[in-house]
Amino acid sequence: MGRRVLLVSGSGPEAGDEIAALDPAIELEHAPSMDAAVGRLSDGGYDLIVSDEEIGGARTGLFLRHLCQRRFPSIPFVLRSASAVGWLERLKRLL
């Protein structure tokens, strides 16, 4: 049985193609929003969470990361961003 990876991305499941290509044994599941991700995580069994910074709605991937650190601390979390400029602008607002 492969490792279960939850991809949180408003871009659709195809956003995980590069993750799935890493290992054919990876069981990649897609959550299109933070609420969907939290629902899936509550069911348990994930080995890794990968989230886009921009996941749609009022919440961001960074918010989801903080939530997961509190509620699911044993699951590693990878935050990714397609736009360094967008990430830097958000960082500036947080500082």
Side-chain angles (χ1 to χ4, degrees), residues 8 13 19 40 58 60 83 94:
V8 185
I19 298 168
R40 287 180 182 248
T60 65
S83 171
L94 291 172

Side-chain angles (χ1 to χ4, degrees), residues 10-61:
S11 299
E14 65 279 354
D17 289 349
E18 68 276 8
I19 298 168
L22 293 174
D23 183 346
I26 290 175
E27 295 177 37
L28 185 64
E29 296 183 31
H30 176 250
S33 68
M34 189 185 83
D35 291 337
V38 172
R40 287 180 182 248
L41 288 165
S42 296
D43 294 338
Y46 288 97
D47 299 298
L48 176 66
I49 304 162
V50 178
S51 176
D52 288 345
E53 168 56 21
E54 298 292 331
I55 53 178
R59 305 287 190 214
T60 65

